[in-house]
Amino acid sequence: MDLEKREPQAIKVTPLQQMLASCTGAILTSLMVTPLDVVKIRLQAQNNPFPKGKCFVYSNGLMDHVCVCEEGGSKAWYKKPGNFRGTLDAFLKIVRHEGIKSLWSGLPPTLVMAVPATVIYFTCYDQLSALLKSKLGENETSIPIFAGIVARFGAVTVISPLELIRTKMQSKKFSYKELHRFVSKKVSEDGWISLWKGWAPTVLRDVPFSAMYWYNYEILKKWLCEKSGLYEPTFMINFTSGALSGSFAAIATLPFDVVKTQKQTQLWTYETHKILFLYLVSVPLQMSTWVIMKNIVAKNGISGLFTGLIPRLIKIAPACAVMISTYEFGKAFFQKQNIGGQQY
């Protein structure tokens, strides 16, 4: 019986199947979590309206996006301040007055960025984990930490220039020719490294998050399986492990998230000429991550580094839970297909 229970593990899913599973997970996570941030942004706009040209960070648990408020009434996720009494009231009024589609108005930029980033991240993690387990053994506890660090480092590095370009495109409608001129000019003036502005604070937040997340996830998953008397984790075990490990990592890395938000939102600004011609000007924030952290502590105390803890947990916990459980479910599905294929 033990051999029969272990036989499926001999059949591995292919990298393409891992990519399909992670892609499905990213899309489903975006669909489920994006409405939470749409409501949050609208509540923020009501309490502290963003002036024209103001930058803010739009995050749905999978990806962060720098958003520029070009026209307060032209975007569903940012309109003129409403009269909302709370989260549920805002949710109901947005659906009633603007239609249910408004809750997913931030979805397109999320999918453009989150899907490739998630596919790279999860596929690299699984491939690297399998390689290290074959060399070091199945029970080596440092494997999730190392694989999580390398996979996240690679994903952040690949996606960073795309985020910069996408932010530029948000300022106004650009043709591909104009966008190419912008990138070429930026590279010629500041070098290729300029396409990775904001990379350092992103790495400082996401790489430790990834290391802690995967280590805790694997430990919790194994512990819950043992407590349940199961060899293979169920959907609920994956879901619970993902939510808890994501919450732990989110709390620990929040100070770097606060710094990253400050750097991102101060990277871009609008300047308006008398002829009302708008154009985007790059304004890099020169202060280092450490200096920004010291300034935050001096101004608001240690608690300033943990600003936005509850909203971050509300997004991160379900996002991690949905993403990992969908990903594992997808891999299990393909594994069964591969076993069936071998039998026939």
Side-chain angles (χ1 to χ4, degrees), residues 7-227:
E7 185 181 1
Q9 286 297 313
I11 310 297
K12 300 296 182 182
V13 295
T14 65
L16 178 59
Q17 289 171 334
Q18 289 171 344
M19 292 170 72
L20 288 172
S22 58
C23 180
T24 303
I27 293 171
L28 185 60
T29 304
S30 298
L31 287 170
M32 294 184 70
V33 183
T34 294
L36 295 175
D37 214 58
V38 170
V39 171
K40 182 180 74 74
I41 289 294
R42 298 291 291 277
L43 287 169
Q44 283 182 336
Q46 173 179 271
N47 298 328
N48 185 24
F50 301 120
K52 191 175 182 179
K54 174 70 175 178
C55 298
F56 59 94
V57 174
Y58 174 91
S59 172
N60 66 355
L62 268 185
M63 293 292 292
D64 293 343
H65 307 293
V66 179
C67 294
V68 183
C69 176
E70 185 176 357
E71 288 291 344
S74 65
K75 302 289 185 182
W77 41 260
Y78 179 79
K79 287 193 174 183
K80 293 177 181 178
N83 183 25
F84 305 130
R85 293 191 299 271
T87 301
L88 182 59
D89 185 58
F91 182 88
L92 293 174
K93 284 182 177 177
I94 290 171
V95 172
R96 186 184 306 125
H97 297 298
E98 303 170 30
I100 196 166
K101 288 196 298 183
S102 292
L103 293 173
W104 284 273
S105 55
L107 188 61
T110 296
L111 293 178
V112 168
M113 299 292 295
V115 171
T118 306
V119 167
I120 293 169
Y121 178 41
F122 278 80
T123 306
C124 286
Y125 174 81
D126 261 356
Q127 290 294 309
L128 191 54
S129 292
L131 178 63
L132 292 172
K133 284 177 181 178
S134 67
K135 303 290 184 183
L136 304 176
E138 290 283 335
N139 297 320
E140 178 57 53
T141 56
S142 63
I143 289 176
I145 298 174
F146 183 76
I149 288 173
V150 174
R152 196 65 202 172
F153 190 90
V156 169
T157 303
V158 169
I159 294 299
S160 196
L162 297 179
E163 174 68 15
L164 185 76
I165 292 170
R166 193 198 59 75
T167 306
K168 175 67 178 177
M169 290 182 73
Q170 272 196 324
S171 64
K172 52 177 284 192
K173 289 185 178 179
F174 281 90
S175 66
Y176 288 109
K177 189 175 182 181
E178 289 173 322
L179 191 62
H180 181 264
R181 279 204 301 266
F182 160 73
V183 174
S184 300
K185 184 179 179 182
K186 194 162 185 62
V187 170
S188 64
E189 290 177 353
D190 304 319
W192 283 100
I193 198 69
S194 63
L195 297 179
W196 277 267
K197 283 189 183 295
W199 174 86
T202 305
V203 166
L204 284 173
R205 183 199 63 176
D206 287 1
V207 168
F209 180 98
S210 182
M212 286 184 280
Y213 171 77
W214 285 110
Y215 177 78
N216 288 324
Y217 172 73
E218 299 291 355
I219 294 294
L220 283 168
K221 184 173 69 171
K222 185 177 179 181
W223 182 76
L224 289 172
C225 283
E226 290 174 355
K227 288 293 181 182

Side-chain angles (χ1 to χ4, degrees), residues 305-320:
L305 294 174
F306 292 88
T307 302
L309 176 61
I310 300 303
R312 181 161 162 80
L313 284 177
I314 289 173
K315 288 181 295 184
I316 294 294
C320 288

Side-chain angles (χ1 to χ4, degrees), residues 324-340:
I324 194 65
S325 54
T326 305
Y327 179 61
E328 295 288 3
F329 180 84
K331 288 197 300 179
F333 170 80
F334 285 121
Q335 193 176 65
K336 288 178 183 177
Q337 299 300 311
N338 294 345
I339 292 171

